C-alpha cells in the first residue's frame, strides 16, 4: 500500500500516460498523496445593457487575459492571472528555523504571520487568495509592472465542485521534476477603475517570461475561446494556442461570469449559447468542458448555477446550430462549385 508522495510519484511515472494514469488518480486517497492547488482571478469590467439581444446586452463586458508562453517560449494559450500554489509540507516546515520561516512569507502561500510568529496554515480560503496575489504580482512583473494590485477580499470564488486539473500529470509529465495533481480555485473580480486598460498601457515591450501579452477581450469572444482547431501554434490536444484558453476551468469561469451577469437565468443563457455558437467556427460543447475538467454535465450546471436540464438544452441547441451551419457551408460550396 502506497502511503507517501515519493512512492506515489514513482508509481505514476512508471504508469503509461493517459487512461491508466487517470485511473490511478480516480482514487481520492492516492490522489491526496500528490495533491496541490492552484488559483486564478478573472478581472472584468463593464455593465449589462438593456438590448434586444443577449449578445448586445453583454457587449460592454470585457475581461483581462494573458497570452501565455511555455518554458520553450512557445505560445501556450490564454488565461486569467494566476497559477500553481507554492505550498509547504509539515515536514519541510518543521525543519526550518523561525528566521527561515519568516523569509518564506509572501513566497509560500501557506505560511503567514500570526501574532508576529510564522505559522503553517491549511485553510484554503486563505491559501487560494495568497496564491492569486503572489502569482498576479509575479506575472505583472513579467511585463514590467510592480506596483499594481487588487483587494483580495473583493475576489469572488467561483463554485466549482469536484473540478480537477490533472492533465499535466496524466498526459504530459515524463517522470522528471516536480509534478502535482491540482485542485484549481477560480475567482472573479469586478473592476470599475480601468485596471485592464492601465495594465495594457503600462506593459512594456521587453522580452517577457511566461506572459507574452496582456489582452482586453470581450466576454462574448471569451465564451467561444475553447475548442478552436490550431494551425501554426497548437496545444498538446491540437487546440489553438493563441485563440483558446489553456485551461478548461478558466474558460468555464467565463461562462460562470456570463451566468452571474444574467442572473443565472437558463433561458437567457440558452439564447446566449446559441449566439456564441452562431459566431464560432467550432462546436461549443459543455460536455467537452465537463470531460476536460473531470466533471459530469450536472456539475457544470452547478458551476453556472442553473438546472441540469437548462444546460442540456444549451448543449443540444449548440449542437443543432453548429450542424445547421456546417450543412449550410457544404451547400454553399456545392452551389459555387456547380
Amino acid at each position: 500500500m502506497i502511503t507517501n508522495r515519493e512512492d506515489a510519484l514513482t508509481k505514476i511515472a512508471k504508469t503509461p500516460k493517459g487512461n491508466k494514469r487517470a485511473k490511478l488518480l480516480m482514487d481520492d486517497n492516492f490522489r491526496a498523496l500528490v495533491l496541490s492547488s492552484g488559483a486564478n482571478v478573472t478581472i472584468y469590467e463593464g455593465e449589462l445593457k438593456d438590448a434586444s439581444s443577449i449578445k448586445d446586452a453583454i457587449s460592454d463586458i470585457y475581461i483581462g487575459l494573458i497570452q501565455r508562453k511555455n518554458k520553450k517560449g512557445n505560445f501556450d494559450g490564454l488565461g486569467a492571472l494566476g497559477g500553481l500554489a507554492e505550498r509547504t509540507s509539515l515536514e519541510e516546515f518543521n525543519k526550518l528555523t523561525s528566521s527561515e520561516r519568516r523569509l518564506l512569507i509572501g513566497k509560500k502561500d501557506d505560511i503567514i504571520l500570526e501574532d508576529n510568529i510564522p505559522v503553517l496554515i491549511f485553510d484554503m480560503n486563505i491559501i487560494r487568495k495568497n496564491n492569486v496575489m503572489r502569482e498576479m504580482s509575479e506575472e505583472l512583473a513579467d511585463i514590467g509592472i510592480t506596483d499594481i494590485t487588487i483587494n483580495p477580499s473583493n475576489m469572488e470564488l467561483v463554485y466549482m465542485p469536484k473540478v480537477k486539473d490533472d492533465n499535466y500529470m496524466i498526459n504530459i509529465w515524463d517522470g522528471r521534476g516536480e509534478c502535482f495533481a491540482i485542485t484549481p480555485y477560480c475567482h472573479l473580480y469586478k473592476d470599475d477603475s480601468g485596471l485592464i486598460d492601465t495594465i495594457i498601457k503600462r506593459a512594456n515591450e521587453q522580452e517577457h517570461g511566461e506572459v507574452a501579452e496582456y489582452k482586453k477581450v470581450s466576454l462574448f469572444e471569451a465564451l467561444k475561446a475553447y475548442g478552436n482547431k490550431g494551425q501554426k501554434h497548437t496545444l498538446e490536444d491540437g487546440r489553438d494556442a493563441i485563440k483558446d484558453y489553456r485551461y478548461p476551468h478558466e474558460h468555464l469561469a467565463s461562462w460562470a461570469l456570463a451566468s452571474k451577469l444574467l442572473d443565472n437565468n437558463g433561458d437567457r443563457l440558452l439564447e446566449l449559447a446559441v449566439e456564441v455558437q452562431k459566431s464560432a467556427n467550432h462546436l461549443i460543447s459543455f460536455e467537452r468542458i465537463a470531460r476536460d475538467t473531470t466533471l459530469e454535465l450536472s456539475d457544470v450546471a452547478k458551476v453556472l448555477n442553473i438546472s441540469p436540464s437548462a444546460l442540456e438544452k444549451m448543449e443540444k441547441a449548440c449542437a443543432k446550430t453548429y450542424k445547421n451551419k456546417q450543412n449550410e457551408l457544404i451547400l454553399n460550396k456545392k452551389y459555387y462549385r456547380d
Side-chain angles (χ1 to χ4, degrees):
M1 181 178 178
I2 296 175
T3 59
N4 61 74
R5 171 174 165 77
E6 290 73 21
D7 289 346
L9 284 175
T10 298
K11 184 174 181 63
I12 293 169
K14 292 181 178 179
T15 301
K17 298 176 184 179
N19 291 335
K20 290 188 177 181
R21 287 189 182 183
K23 188 174 181 180
L24 283 178
L25 294 174
M26 288 175 64
D27 182 338
D28 289 339
N29 291 326
F30 181 85
R31 185 172 182 267
L33 297 174
V34 294
L35 181 62
S36 187
S37 61
N40 62 79
V41 60
T42 297
I43 300 174
Y44 72 98
E45 64 179 35
E47 302 295 337
L48 206 65
K49 298 192 303 184
D50 285 329
S52 58
S53 73
I54 294 295
K55 181 178 179 180
D56 289 338
I58 68 168
S59 62
D60 283 347
I61 310 297
Y62 289 87
I63 64 177
L65 294 176
I66 59 175
Q67 175 68 65
R68 296 186 182 278
K69 292 194 301 183
N70 58 27
K71 293 180 180 179
K72 295 181 180 180
N74 299 321
F75 289 112
D76 201 34
L78 298 172
L81 290 164
L84 296 180
E86 292 289 345
R87 304 283 292 273
T88 318
S89 70
L90 183 59
E91 181 182 11
E92 291 170 330
F93 184 78
N94 287 337
K95 291 179 181 178
L96 300 173
T97 66
S98 179
S99 296
E100 290 172 331
R101 293 171 181 175
R102 189 177 293 271
L103 289 173
L104 292 177
I105 294 172
K107 298 178 181 179
K108 294 289 187 177
D109 304 321
D110 54 2
I111 299 178
I112 65 170
L113 280 178
E114 284 188 0
D115 297 326
N116 204 34
I117 298 174
V119 297
L120 180 66
I121 61 171
F122 303 93
D123 185 346
M124 286 308 306
N125 287 321
I126 299 175
I127 293 171
R128 60 180 169 82
K129 291 181 181 180
N130 288 346
N131 184 172
V132 168
M133 300 305 291
R134 178 188 51 75
E135 280 287 336
M136 178 178 178
S137 176
E138 292 175 3
E139 289 177 328
L140 290 183
D142 215 16
I143 52 177
I145 298 172
T146 58
D147 59 347
I148 288 180
T149 188
I150 60 175
N151 185 346
S153 63
N154 290 341
M155 292 194 303
E156 178 183 351
L157 180 65
V158 179
Y159 178 60
M160 289 189 175
K162 299 186 285 184
V163 69
K164 299 175 182 178
D165 178 20
D166 298 346
N167 178 63
Y168 183 79
M169 178 169 275
I170 292 171
N171 296 311
I172 303 173
W173 187 51
D174 61 4
R176 293 175 292 182
E178 282 285 274
C179 186
F180 298 93
I182 301 296
T183 297
Y185 294 85
C186 298
H187 304 82
L188 303 175
Y189 186 89
K190 178 69 161 62
D191 177 72
D192 298 313
S193 68
L195 179 59
I196 297 173
D197 288 327
T198 298
I199 293 174
I200 292 172
K201 182 179 180 180
R202 290 188 52 195
N204 62 38
E205 297 179 355
Q206 68 184 26
E207 186 68 23
H208 306 311
E210 70 173 293
V211 181
E213 183 184 2
Y214 189 73
K215 299 180 177 182
K216 184 175 182 178
V217 180
S218 72
L219 176 59
F220 186 83
E221 289 298 313
L223 295 177
K224 59 183 179 181
Y226 198 82
N228 287 284
K229 186 176 180 181
Q231 301 296 328
K232 183 178 180 181
H233 306 284
T234 60
L235 301 170
E236 68 275 358
D237 58 359
R239 291 184 297 112
D240 195 301
I242 295 179
K243 292 182 179 180
D244 264 25
Y245 274 87
R246 178 68 177 87
Y247 301 110
H249 54 272
E250 293 188 9
H251 177 245
L252 183 54
S254 70
W255 277 98
L257 172 58
S259 184
K260 167 187 166 68
L261 294 171
L262 297 173
D263 298 320
N264 311 119
N265 184 305
D267 291 334
R268 300 184 81 188
L269 273 175
L270 173 61
E271 182 183 341
L272 176 59
V274 171
E275 288 296 323
V276 172
Q277 183 62 79
K278 286 179 179 178
S279 179
N281 293 321
H282 62 282
L283 177 64
I284 304 299
S285 173
F286 298 97
E287 286 186 349
R288 176 173 185 167
I289 296 172
R291 182 177 68 250
D292 290 351
T293 48
T294 68
L295 298 177
E296 300 293 332
L297 201 58
S298 59
D299 297 317
V300 175
K302 290 178 182 178
V303 175
L304 303 187
N305 198 19
I306 59 175
S307 68
S309 61
L311 186 59
E312 288 172 7
K313 288 180 181 178
M314 292 166 64
E315 180 74 13
K316 291 178 180 178
C318 286
K320 182 178 180 181
T321 303
Y322 178 73
K323 183 178 180 180
N324 289 342
K325 187 174 181 178
Q326 293 302 108
N327 289 338
E328 184 178 334
L329 289 172
I330 292 172
L331 289 174
N332 286 340
K333 286 181 180 179
K334 184 177 184 299
Y335 173 81
Y336 285 112
R337 187 173 63 246
D338 294 345

